[in-house]
Amino acid sequence: MGIEIFYLVLLLLLLGIVIPLAAAGKDRRAARTASLVCTAAASCVLALLSLIVLITSQEIAWTAYQPFDFFSVAFVIDRLAAFFLLIIAVVSFCVAIYSGEYFEHLDGGSRRNLLCAGTSLFILAMVLVVASANTYSFLLFWELMAAGSFFLVMYEYTAAETRKAGIFYFVMTQLSTLFVFLGVIVLSAGTGSSAMTLVQSPASPLIIAAFLCLFLGFSIKAGIIPFHKWLPYAHPASPSPISALMSGVMLKIAVYGLIRFLLDVFTPDIWWGLLILAAGTASAVLGIIYALKEHDIKAMLAYSSIENVGIIFIGIGLWVILNAVSLPALAMIALLGALFHSLNHALFKSLLFLTSGSVVHATHTRDIEHMGGLSHVMPWTSALFFVGALAIAALPPLNGFASEILIYTAFFSSVYAVDSLLKVVMFISLALFALTSALSAACFVKAFGSIFLALPRSRESAEAKEVPFLMLLGPAILAGACIFLGLFALQVFQLAGFSVPEPDMLIVGLLLLVMAGLTLLVLHFTASREVRISETWGCGTLSQQSSAEYSGHGLSEPIDIIFSAIYRTRMKNERSFFDERNTIFKEGTAEIRLLKLFEEYLYLPAARAAMRAATAISRVQNGCLDTYLLYVFLAVIAIIVYLGGFA
Amino acid sequence: MNSMFVLYLVLNTLVVLAAAPLFVSLIKKVKARTQGRSGPSVFQTYYTLAKLLKKEVIYSPNSSRIMRVTPLVNMAALLAAALFVPLVFVPEPVGGIGNIILFLYLLALAKFFMALAGLDAGSSFGGMGSSREMSISAIIEPTTIIVFAALVFVFKSLNIFDMFSTSAAAGTLTTPVLILLGISLFIILIVETSRIPVDNPETHLELTMIHEGMILEQSGRNLALMELASAIKLTLLMALLINLIVPFGLMTTFTLAGLAIAAILFVVKGSILAGIIGLFESSTAKMRFFRLPSLFAMAFFFSTLVIIIEVFA
């Protein structure tokens, strides 16, 4: 039964690919709509399937195709896979609804058919990766996912910026595949099997190498610092629904890979957990610090994704550590926190990407300094973005808080149970986690404030129009899910059969409502109801101007200065004068340069080293026939000597 | 939810609403006295709030719904947070009420709305306030969390109710470590309630104000709500400090006589703490904004060292 439903999902997604391709070069809206309807329907069925598996806890496993003894494409949907399939399903559904209107507003004519087909292909690949039961099919679909997303990023290929982003993304994603590939090969060399089953010999160096390769591969895909640079390039370049899918879902596929291998294949050591915790903490805190500096809305969201994946990695790291020091109950809380945050981040980040897509569509700019005042002209979009901002800033009673409190609880309850060195590490991590959480609130005050509040700072922003219904409906479902999962977090966990030390958020929500109600009641009887609308006082200026209000950049300036050691912005100021006493100014240059730390000190040196190695090797290939004959001759001699030596 | 808990909900809300303006006035009074002025009456904050309620509300034409809902959300969040910190009577906790992390994040909810409202009218004063407030609250957060983690360790519970009932049962200081944690809590109190040397609650000069800048565009009943909410915040953080360090008199089983004693003792202890805050404020100068991170870093390292050496060694 479950298998048939799964094939129905695949069939619908394949239809979603084939229909717009069949329309070929013709610019038909009907074909695109049909494709997106198929995708949405597939998402619904997929959500149903994963809910069935999650609730009944009956896993579905089958082999789809086995051409050779050692190679098969096999699937298994257990509760973990079903959970991630649910994430894919919910986000894809909302993205499909949103895209029905959004894709029609893009330039590109019939290329939009390809975009629809590509979206379906991308979703299909992600579904297949999660459902894969052995490393072969995992790798196969992993690569399909990477390639599919590359074409989607390259949609607006005519822009030089997009081409650069696309190539950057392609290199990074191939690097990720390379390491996952290497990890899987080393793993099968160590175990002699392609199945994702428990390895019995934990300590062998081969297994450790396999873990390190896989960790690296998944980290690159998940955007863990220092392998994060592709996110702030790829997200602004790609269409917003694609950003939502990539940030909301694809990063979670990497998280899924890591959890799957740690859970089913490896028996992790404590230092693996420390490694994951350190990577997660660094990504979380640096990610949000970089996000605060951004004024490109989509790059800001990209950096905030890096932060949130960092939080998820903190949860995973804690899980591994606490398991290694035999505190399984607390470890479970950390893992549940990480998983719940994966779902929550998928929801609110897609919500934010979709609504910011609407904003970019309405204002024709991604620069938040040119927005402002949009809450008056786009009330619905601003309300939806606001829900996303509250959720991502981890404020109660929304879902972001519901998952972060689990990670906090795991930290708080375990810190005293471990030995002293570990304690110090966990303390530092906890402090940085708290810093991250508070900075993300600052970041989204900046984002919401600059985009939606005060006066418009450009003509486009003043003349913006609210987006059509479908572009509100998609995000609205996500916002509803954010509120629902926040309020009913405890109940959802109970339904899934987990008892977690989560405070009942429904009570908190009710308390807030009751208190607001009581306040209104008291005000009704005691306070004056007079209201007057009057110009903001501007120290005597005749009319208020948008140029005088606080800009997004100004808002984050104190944080820029406090963390200037991390940003390492270089300011150069050179002046020359006519006279010796330096009074009459002649000429001068001033320069503010943002240091791209990771690019300058990690990516470029690595690229140059690779280039040098390639140049060195290419000397062997000089294109001259004589040289190649010489190689053959030498090879033959070598073989004769080798064989002769053993004869 | 039993009847005792309902009683607690009503009682705690009433006590916090009644006591909060008093403590604010007391701090002002002490500060005025140290400056050689007689200062306003200790009931001045009540009069001010009553007067503000009678005044009209003025909105800027630029402002959106954020400006209109912020006072309400702020008040609701603080009143909800007030239920997390028992002032005079500690019942059994129900359904996660009293969770220390949730308490912290309810305060953050209020702050988030307040910062947005600061930006809403498009005035640069408001923006300045919001910007500074969010920066400061971000860099004090690690210290707060570390201190809370230490409290959780000392009392073996995440719930403020459990912490208070443990300390109330002892009647005196549970462990000497709490004195050191108390110092950290005092620093957090100063920072979170916008007091000297971090912020100056009494000026409306753009160079010095943070919290006042954010609420500059509020007026009438909305301003009354904002003022009352920040008074409640002060009271809650004071109560956290008082009921952990000097818990005697705190009631765990309800009796009318016990209530009277607990309430009187709480007001007395709170008044003394308010006096200490007033003296502390009078004895230091407002720090330059960008010197604050080093102060916070000091507070952070102090707390962390104390905790690692005293608590976990």
Side-chain angles (χ1 to χ4, degrees):
Chain A
M1 173 62 182
I3 304 175
E4 285 78 19
I5 300 180
F6 189 72
Y7 280 129
L8 178 63
V9 173
L10 298 190
L11 182 71
L12 282 168
L13 284 171
L14 278 174
L15 274 179
I17 301 172
V18 172
I19 292 172
L21 289 183
K26 298 188 198 71
D27 183 13
R28 293 245 173 83
R29 181 172 185 169
R32 290 193 287 272
T33 309
S35 157
L36 289 171
V37 166
C38 285
T39 308
S43 310
C44 283
V45 180
L46 185 63
L48 191 72
L49 175 67
S50 45
L51 281 178
I52 291 174
V53 175
L54 277 174
I55 290 170
T56 61
S57 333
Q58 277 177 331
E59 65 172 53
I60 312 167
W62 75 102
T63 305
Y65 177 61
Q66 182 147 27
F68 311 108
D69 283 344
F70 59 89
F71 177 84
S72 67
V73 176
F75 298 109
V76 60
I77 303 178
D78 55 4
R79 289 183 95 188
L80 182 66
F83 178 74
F84 279 88
L85 287 178
L86 186 66
I87 295 181
I88 301 177
V90 176
V91 176
S92 305
F93 180 70
C94 300
V95 164
I97 292 179
Y98 180 87
S99 304
E101 202 58 63
Y102 183 86
F103 283 174
E104 298 310 314
H105 294 289
L106 286 176
D107 300 330
S110 59
R111 259 195 310 127
R112 289 177 292 182
N113 294 0
L114 287 176
L115 190 58
C116 279
T119 310
S120 297
L121 176 70
F122 183 38
I123 295 170
L124 178 73
M126 291 195 291
V127 170
L128 290 171
V129 171
V130 172
S132 290
N134 60 34
T135 49
Y136 290 133
S137 32
F138 187 87
L139 268 181
L140 183 69
F141 299 124
W142 181 269
E143 187 54 20
L144 186 66
M145 173 177 88
S149 54
F150 166 67
F151 288 115
L152 294 175
V153 170
M154 285 294 265
Y155 176 72
E156 280 158 13
Y157 69 94
T158 43
E161 186 195 356
T162 308
R163 282 201 298 276
K164 188 187 168 213
I167 299 296
F168 202 104
Y169 173 60
F170 188 68
V171 172
M172 291 306 281
T173 195
Q174 286 309 305
L175 211 57
S176 151
T177 310
L178 182 76
F179 278 109
V180 174
F181 219 122
L182 208 60
V184 165
I185 289 173
V186 174
L187 187 67
S188 58
T191 63
S193 139
S194 73
M196 290 198 212
T197 47
L198 202 62
V199 179
Q200 298 303 334
S201 54
S204 93
L206 218 53
I207 298 299
I208 291 174
F211 162 71
L212 287 177
C213 286
L214 285 170
F215 174 67
L216 210 58
F218 292 135
S219 297
I220 296 172
K221 197 72 172 185
I224 287 294
I225 286 176
F227 317 111
H228 63 288
K229 242 356 239 244
W230 65 267
L231 280 125
Y233 281 128
H235 283 303
S238 41
S240 292
I242 305 305
S243 308
L245 276 179
M246 283 189 6
S247 206
V249 190
M250 192 179 72
L251 303 185
K252 307 305 165 345
I253 305 297
V255 169
Y256 166 77
L258 185 64
I259 294 181
R260 171 63 81 191
F261 274 95
L262 285 174
L263 196 66
D264 283 1
V265 179
F266 296 115
T267 319
D269 231 342
I270 190 160
W271 67 265
W272 299 17
L274 286 172
L275 178 70
I276 300 172
L277 185 71
T281 312
S283 298
V285 73
L286 290 176
I288 196 65
I289 286 177
Y290 288 130
L292 270 157
K293 184 109 181 170
E294 277 298 332
H295 45 87
D296 177 329
I297 173 66
K298 291 181 79 181
M300 176 194 274
L301 291 177
Y303 273 119
S304 136
S305 290
I306 295 169
E307 175 232 329
N308 277 286
V309 169
I311 293 176
I312 296 169
F313 269 52
I314 290 177
I316 298 175
L318 269 183
W319 164 56
V320 172
I321 292 173
L322 295 177
N323 256 337
V325 297
S326 34
L327 293 168
L330 290 174
M332 197 61 197
I333 296 173
L335 179 62
L336 286 177
L339 287 174
F340 195 32
H341 200 71
S342 303
L343 171 62
N344 292 338
H345 178 246
L347 294 174
F348 54 64
K349 191 46 69 67
S350 336
L351 167 60
L352 288 169
F353 264 119
L354 292 184
T355 41
S356 68
S358 304
V359 167
V360 173
H361 164 72
T363 58
H364 308 291
T365 174
R366 290 198 311 263
D367 190 346
I368 59 172
E369 306 294 13
H370 293 143
M371 297 177 184
L374 287 176
S375 66
H376 297 282
V377 282
M378 302 175 77
W380 292 106
T381 303
S382 79
L384 293 171
F385 190 97
F386 188 64
V387 173
L390 280 178
I392 202 167
L395 295 173
L398 277 93
N399 61 350
F401 176 74
S403 47
E404 283 195 18
I405 194 174
L406 286 179
I407 298 177
Y408 270 122
T409 308
F411 260 122
F412 275 33
S413 329
S414 66
V415 126
Y416 58 85
V418 294
D419 65 42
S420 40
L421 195 63
L422 204 53
K423 227 171 253 173
V424 176
V425 173
M426 283 175 71
F427 247 111
I428 296 170
S429 179
L430 171 61
L432 289 175
F433 178 48
L435 179 68
T436 306
S437 189
L439 282 175
S440 91
C443 182
F444 282 88
V445 163
K446 170 181 171 176
F448 187 81
S450 313
I451 299 174
F452 293 103
L453 300 181
L455 291 165
R457 286 188 288 267
S458 70
R459 201 167 48 84
E460 285 81 6
S461 185
E463 290 166 2
K465 293 271 180 310
E466 183 61 285
V467 290
F469 176 69
L470 283 182
M471 281 169 76
L472 293 172
L473 181 64
I477 297 171
L478 290 168
C482 283
I483 296 170
F484 175 81
L485 279 181
L487 287 176
F488 294 94
L490 185 66
Q491 287 76 4
V492 167
F493 274 115
Q494 279 166 352
L495 190 70
F498 296 105
S499 75
V500 287
E502 171 107 34
D504 195 343
M505 302 291 273
L506 201 57
I507 294 185
V508 179
L510 274 179
L511 268 183
L512 286 172
L513 270 185
V514 168
M515 289 304 180
L518 282 178
T519 312
L520 278 181
L521 197 70
V522 172
L523 284 184
H524 181 79
F525 287 112
T526 58
S528 140
R529 257 171 301 225
E530 275 174 78
V531 168
R532 184 152 60 93
I533 302 291
S534 174
E535 197 76 22
T536 309
W537 185 69
C539 300
T541 46
L542 287 180
S543 70
Q544 204 195 354
Q545 284 177 349
S546 62
S547 56
E549 72 190 32
Y550 237 59
S551 64
H553 202 94
L555 197 71
S556 57
E557 181 67 18
I559 293 172
D560 284 7
I561 292 177
I562 293 167
F563 293 104
S564 57
I566 290 173
Y567 295 118
R568 307 196 81 83
T569 309
R570 286 176 191 161
M571 284 184 238
K572 226 164 45 181
N573 186 1
E574 280 172 5
R575 281 176 290 185
S576 59
F577 299 89
F578 283 109
D579 60 330
E580 283 177 2
R581 290 186 182 171
N582 293 354
T583 46
I584 304 166
F585 181 69
K586 191 170 159 192
E587 60 182 348
T589 55
E591 183 188 340
I592 298 178
R593 205 165 66 94
L594 284 176
L595 178 66
K596 294 179 175 169
L597 183 74
F598 292 105
E599 264 166 279
E600 284 175 30
Y601 292 102
L602 182 72
Y603 291 46
L604 283 178
R608 282 194 209 106
M611 204 63 192
R612 271 200 299 278
T615 321
I617 291 170
S618 73
R619 287 206 197 99
V620 178
Q621 298 258 14
N622 60 0
C624 177
L625 187 61
D626 298 351
T627 322
Y628 289 104
L629 280 175
L630 179 67
Y631 292 156
V632 173
F633 180 68
L634 287 176
V636 170
I637 296 284
I639 290 169
I640 289 171
V641 169
Y642 177 76
L643 290 177
F646 285 95
Chain B
M1 204 176 284
N2 52 26
S3 58
M4 227 16 139
F5 199 75
V6 176
L7 180 71
Y8 159 76
L9 295 180
V10 177
L11 201 66
N12 213 51
T13 312
L14 290 181
V15 174
V16 81
L17 282 173
L22 177 72
F23 293 154
V24 173
S25 320
L26 271 174
I27 296 177
K28 281 188 185 148
K29 187 85 179 168
V30 171
K31 283 171 80 176
R33 279 293 161 84
T34 54
Q35 290 161 5
R37 297 182 283 122
S38 66
S41 132
V42 289
F43 300 107
Q44 185 57 47
T45 311
Y46 299 95
Y47 304 148
T48 314
L49 288 176
K51 189 173 178 186
L52 281 174
L53 284 177
K54 295 282 167 239
K55 292 205 154 198
E56 63 176 358
V57 180
I58 303 173
Y59 290 118
S60 160
N62 313 325
S63 63
S64 64
R65 283 188 207 92
I66 294 288
M67 194 74 178
R68 287 154 176 82
V69 300
T70 294
L72 197 60
V73 173
N74 198 9
M75 196 65 200
L78 262 303
L79 281 176
L83 300 179
F84 283 55
V85 185
L87 300 183
V88 291
F89 169 43
V90 193
E92 285 291 307
V94 172
I97 291 182
N99 186 303
I100 195 162
I101 307 165
L102 189 49
F103 169 70
L104 190 64
Y105 275 79
L106 280 172
L107 300 186
L109 176 70
K111 201 180 290 173
F112 189 83
F113 270 86
M114 231 184 324
L116 283 178
L119 289 169
D120 202 8
S123 135
S124 31
F125 297 113
M128 198 176 289
S130 307
S131 157
R132 290 172 178 177
E133 174 82 10
M134 292 318 282
S135 314
I136 285 182
S137 68
I139 51 180
I140 194 65
E141 190 81 357
T143 316
T144 316
I145 280 292
I146 290 293
V147 173
F148 280 14
L151 287 179
V152 169
F153 167 75
V154 170
F155 291 100
K156 302 276 180 291
S157 168
L158 274 162
N159 199 301
I160 300 177
F161 285 53
D162 294 337
M163 294 180 189
F164 282 7
S165 49
T166 310
S167 67
T172 52
L173 206 57
T174 328
T175 91
V177 178
L178 277 178
I179 298 177
L180 296 170
L181 285 179
I183 298 174
S184 300
L185 272 178
F186 187 77
I187 298 175
I188 294 166
L189 171 90
I190 295 290
V191 177
E192 283 286 330
T193 55
S194 326
R195 312 230 138 243
I196 292 175
V198 175
D199 186 1
N200 190 346
E202 264 141 47
T203 63
H204 284 90
L205 266 171
E206 67 270 28
L207 290 176
T208 52
M209 65 189 176
I210 300 175
H211 178 81
E212 291 296 317
M214 273 199 298
I215 61 170
L216 197 63
E217 296 300 325
Q218 303 286 355
S219 51
R221 59 169 190 272
N222 286 351
L223 183 59
L225 289 182
M226 297 300 255
E227 296 281 0
L228 187 56
S230 59
I232 291 175
K233 187 175 178 182
L234 173 74
T235 312
L236 294 182
L237 290 171
M238 281 168 67
L240 199 60
L241 191 57
I242 291 170
N243 286 348
L244 288 175
I245 310 291
V246 279
F248 57 89
L250 188 60
M251 185 172 58
T252 46
T253 45
F254 184 78
T255 52
L256 272 180
L259 174 67
I261 296 170
I264 292 169
L265 275 175
F266 178 74
V267 172
V268 170
K269 287 185 279 189
S271 305
I272 295 171
L273 182 56
I276 296 173
I277 295 172
L279 288 175
F280 179 80
E281 275 201 275
S282 308
S283 60
T284 49
K286 160 97 174 64
M287 272 181 121
R288 207 159 64 86
F289 183 76
F290 286 112
R291 299 283 291 279
L292 290 177
S294 43
L295 175 75
F296 292 1
M298 247 166 56
F300 176 72
F301 286 124
F302 172 72
S303 318
T304 314
L305 270 181
V306 162
I307 287 158
I308 287 181
I309 293 167
E310 290 292 326
V311 181
F312 295 120

